[in-house]
Amino acid sequence: MVTSSGRPVVHIGTDVSHELDGAVPRVLWSPEVNEALSQTGTAGERALLALLRGTGLASVTHVAAVSDAYGYDIAIALPSGEGMHLEVKSTTDPTRLVVHLTRHEYEVMASDPEWLMGAVLVGADMSALSVAEVSRQWLLSVVPQDQSMQASWESVRIHVPAHVLVPGLTARSGYRALPANVFPARSVWGIQAPAAAPA
């Protein structure tokens, strides 16, 4: 993993037992980086839960706190009777959006029409500075296909371009569970800043 400037965010180990000339050193996972990523993910989920509950929705449930088996993090029951199943991806980087999708999350997305991915920009105070929805159709189109019965991918890293991001969160019916203008106008992940909320 690298930062937006291309620097590694994990420790590079030099304790390999047999290094060859020109060989790339083994990458060791850093517990500090792992903890920071976990904290950012948890902060994004909690911040989004607070925002959604603040909109007056009757039922917003943090299912990821119960089990990862759901394949998404937050379940919402909308007034229309339809639901939203949100997979939350959180980052502190406003310049680009890179997400990791597990095979299980992908399979749930492919079979559950209420599944959608929400990206959360987490601030220094662990609040949500911006929220955008990632196009489901685009995600389905870029996920790799297994080439053999003997091998399958379990996790994929996806660089999300600005043109597949829509500020806010919208259900299939068009219901705006989280309008785009609840955040101050700013450019995040290359998407055009939404109009500011009326005074």
Side-chain angles (χ1 to χ4, degrees):
M1 296 177 58
V2 295
T3 66
S4 58
S5 62
R7 297 185 50 130
V9 294
V10 294
H11 296 310
I12 304 298
T14 57
D15 59 343
V16 292
S17 58
H18 57 283
E19 289 189 273
L20 302 173
D21 287 341
V24 176
R26 183 166 50 107
V27 176
L28 302 176
W29 183 248
S30 163
E32 295 83 11
V33 169
N34 189 43
E35 179 61 24
L37 291 172
S38 177
Q39 287 177 357
T40 299
T42 300
E45 289 177 18
R46 289 180 178 164
L48 187 52
L49 280 164
L51 284 170
L52 291 166
R53 289 173 176 156
T55 65
L57 292 168
S59 177
V60 179
T61 307
H62 191 199
V63 297
V66 177
S67 172
D68 287 333
Y70 288 93
Y72 53 89
D73 301 306
I74 298 173
I76 304 170
L78 298 175
S80 63
E82 99 182 281
M84 293 176 73
H85 298 151
L86 301 178
E87 173 57 29
V88 182
K89 301 298 183 184
S90 307
T91 182
T92 57
D93 186 348
T95 64
R96 66 181 189 151
L97 180 61
V98 179
V99 301
H100 290 84
L101 185 72
T102 68
R103 182 64 176 245
H104 179 58
E105 291 163 353
Y106 162 74
E107 288 175 347
V108 172
M109 171 178 59
S111 64
D112 178 357
E114 296 183 337
W115 189 101
L116 62 94
M117 181 183 287
V120 180
L121 177 64
V122 177
D125 62 354
M126 298 299 171
S127 67
L129 301 179
S130 188
V131 176
E133 182 178 335
V134 181
S135 165
R136 173 195 181 100
Q137 292 308 314
W138 179 82
L139 282 169
L140 288 167
S141 74
V142 298
V143 169
Q145 299 299 311
D146 293 337
Q147 300 298 311
S148 165
M149 296 281 294
Q150 288 76 40
S152 63
W153 64 270
E154 290 302 316
S155 179
V156 62
R157 182 179 190 210
I158 303 172
H159 295 261
V160 182
H163 73 274
V164 301
L165 292 166
V166 178
L169 296 171
T170 304
R172 287 182 305 144
S173 66
Y175 181 87
R176 301 286 292 170
L178 190 62
N181 63 3
V182 299
F183 298 99
R186 62 164 60 89
S187 178
V188 176
W189 305 314
I191 57 179
Q192 184 177 1

